[in-house]
Amino acid sequence: MTPMLRKLHKWVGLLVGVQFLLWLASGLMMSLFDHHAVTGAARRAPVPAERLWPLNGLQAPSDVLAAAGRPADLLETGWLGVRPVYKLSHEGNGWLVDAATGKPVQVAVADVLAAAKADYRGTAPPGTPKLLDSPGLEARRHVGPVWRVDFADAEGTTLYLSSVDAKVLERRNDLWRWFDLAWMLHVMDYSGREDFNNSLVVMAAVGGVWMALSGIWLLATSFRLREFIPRRWLPVREVEVVDGAGRALATAPSFEGDTVYLALARAGMNLPSNCGGGQSCGLCEVRIGRNPPAPTSADREHIAPARLRDGYRLACSLEVNGNLRVAVANGAAIVGASSATVESVTAVTPYLREIVLVPESRAGAEFRPGSYIQLHIPRYKLAREHLHLPEHHRAEWHGLRLPSILRSSQPVRRSYSLSMPVVRADGRLHLLVRFSPGSTDAGHAPGRGSSYIYSLKSGDTVSFNGPFGEFALRPGKTEKIFIGGGAGMAPLRAMILSLLDGAASETIHFWYGARSGRDVPYEEEMRTLAAQYSNFDWRVVLSESGEAGHGMVHEVVQRELLAKHPHLRDCDFYVCGPPQMLAATRKMLADFGVRKVAFDDFKI
């Protein structure tokens, strides 16, 4: 439950946090406004002296009520300009009667204009009065038709007057309108702007309470009782590491209650991980041969059910409660780091760069197509100029507002797939690295791994562990369909080159999606291979092009290949690319009933 709760906590926190910032900013905004300026007091004329009601020549109130012809609950005296009038009301509806003649009185434009001028202090001329069928938001506390009169002053003054007796109902100006906008954001009533007990406020309050409770839960679950016990009092256990064939590699001492990931890291054996043991990337799989513990929620989220049944668990969620024996695929790669020299750095697209590494020991068959290595990214502080931007790609990078200094305060590890079989590369490691510029407009820094790698030059030395990974070619001669995008080109290219170099006779399709032609790496190489091998078909799908076959790569594959293919379930599918493209492609294949799908999501 904890990983799912962590995700919910993050997203609910984002929603509640955005509303909290709006609430805070709008409250601060309202507190800075001058109350008299908001109410338009400076443009309100002084209240005139009350006139004396005439004692003679007027209709008696009883006669007016008798002649009304309809029920009246209330009779009031008043003035319409200089004319004395009676105002009669019944159930909220009112009308005027001339106090001298007893005849009904209708408010005219001239009456409204005279009342507006009498209420206004200033020299700005009034506009033509407009009769509104409904008051609108600015006079929302009133009902029925109202008159609106705008004055051409710097404050944008507007008066709303009653359509019954021409009395001023509301005074509005531009500052009041800004205040009203802040009030709307503050009370979260985006329709009426009056109800501060509306459902959105209640939901935000409930979300805030839930955030507090879930935060307490996550804080509590992040601690273990053993962490408060001095280590010298804890039993010492051993974690034996074996490779996939069961050969013993090393033994790591561990305190009871540690995770396997932490125990191995203390012994200098770093399992692959992009999250540093935070249970969010799923890279640190190990296998328990006998009596594996029940899978945790993190295990269930990142490991397929079939592998869970086979005893696979995440080392970062696997506690050491006794002596353990864990199997690590290619476990020799975690025992000590390897070093390599940068041979070349080549920009293949504006945001993709090929890095060729020469390991201190020639790479062997364990570096199979589809596998990846983990580069060690040290602490660094780089100027933007250190990214070695090539001249022919400066146009694409010109609009990026990158910080002048890029830095990483902590060492991290990043995973990169091999983009060429090591046999073809004479034992070298070819990587394809995508630069992640980040959301610089929102203040998000560029990728720490890609920023460092883009600063590398020939002759530099790097450290790495590997190879790792389960993404691999299946044995057999069945038809193969590769679908990729972005840096997903790397493992797919390595697999295809391996097949073609091995004289594969089955049909091989490769569909690659990109925004434009400049974003397609190795296109000339793929075209050459398609011309050289009759069983290899290479297709590019451009999402920002008007050419034939443009669109999203999974949609074009569905339309032009899958919908016409008679034996889809016999084909092997290999998918790798950006998260959204990968998710959409996998869903599409599942909808077609395809089950033989291998994919690499880079554990994003």
Side-chain angles (χ1 to χ4, degrees), residues 182-197:
W183 172 256
M184 175 191 72
L185 296 174
H186 200 68
V187 301
M188 296 177 66
D189 183 3
Y190 297 103
S191 55
R193 305 190 183 186
E194 288 292 317
D195 184 9
F196 49 82
N197 285 321

Side-chain angles (χ1 to χ4, degrees), residues 374-393:
Q374 283 222 314
L375 280 181
H376 300 188
I377 311 299
R379 297 182 180 91
Y380 63 81
K381 181 178 180 181
L382 301 170
R384 177 177 173 172
E385 292 73 19
H386 292 160
L387 296 180
H388 307 309
L389 177 62
E391 288 290 339
H392 56 288
H393 287 157

Side-chain angles (χ1 to χ4, degrees), residues 241-244 249 328-338 366 465-468:
V241 180
V242 300
D243 62 15
L249 297 173
V328 179
N330 197 19
I334 70 170
V335 182
S338 301
E366 68 275 13
N465 283 93
F468 303 106

Side-chain angles (χ1 to χ4, degrees), residues 239-243 249-252 260-261 263-265 267-273 283-286 315 326-338 372 374 376 413 464-469:
V239 179
E240 183 183 9
V241 180
V242 300
D243 62 15
L249 297 173
T251 300
V260 170
Y261 181 88
L264 296 185
M269 292 179 282
N270 293 283
L271 290 167
S273 174
L283 286 174
C284 61
E285 281 189 23
V286 296
V326 298
V328 179
N330 197 19
I334 70 170
V335 182
S338 301
Y372 65 89
Q374 283 222 314
H376 300 188
R413 298 189 179 199
F464 71 93
N465 283 93
F468 303 106

Side-chain angles (χ1 to χ4, degrees), residues 122-295:
T123 59
T128 304
K130 299 175 183 176
L131 181 62
L132 307 178
D133 294 333
S134 59
L137 282 174
E138 292 193 357
R140 53 183 172 266
R141 295 179 182 175
H142 305 279
V143 295
V146 296
W147 288 92
R148 171 173 173 155
V149 180
D150 296 315
F151 287 83
D153 57 20
E155 293 86 1
T157 302
T158 297
L159 299 184
Y160 290 90
L161 298 91
S162 169
S163 62
V164 175
D165 57 7
K167 293 230 184 234
V168 175
L169 303 175
E170 302 289 355
R171 299 171 183 85
R172 303 299 186 221
N173 54 49
D174 290 339
L175 191 59
W176 178 91
R177 294 178 182 100
W178 282 108
F179 182 91
D180 191 50
L181 176 64
W183 172 256
M184 175 191 72
L185 296 174
H186 200 68
V187 301
M188 296 177 66
D189 183 3
Y190 297 103
S191 55
R193 305 190 183 186
E194 288 292 317
D195 184 9
F196 49 82
N197 285 321
N198 63 81
S199 58
L200 287 177
V201 170
V202 174
M203 289 169 61
V206 171
V209 172
W210 184 87
M211 279 287 297
L213 295 176
S214 62
I216 292 171
W217 170 263
L218 290 172
L219 179 64
T221 56
S222 68
F223 293 107
R224 295 179 176 86
L225 179 61
R226 294 185 182 91
E227 294 177 355
F228 298 94
I229 301 174
R231 290 198 176 276
R232 64 179 179 273
W233 296 354
L234 292 174
V236 177
R237 307 299 185 190
E238 287 187 345
V239 179
E240 183 183 9
V241 180
V242 300
D243 62 15
R247 292 185 294 268
L249 297 173
T251 300
S254 171
F255 293 105
E256 185 163 323
D258 284 346
T259 64
V260 170
Y261 181 88
L262 181 60
L264 296 185
R266 284 202 186 109
M269 292 179 282
N270 293 283
L271 290 167
S273 174
N274 284 340
C275 67
Q279 302 182 8
S280 62
C281 74
L283 286 174
C284 61
E285 281 189 23
V286 296
R287 186 178 183 182
I288 307 298
R290 294 181 181 178
N291 302 319

Side-chain angles (χ1 to χ4, degrees), residues 122 129 164 179 187 231 348 447 461 519 556 562 581:
V164 175
F179 182 91
V187 301
R231 290 198 176 276
V348 292
T461 301
D519 297 317
V556 178
L562 304 189
M581 167 259 166

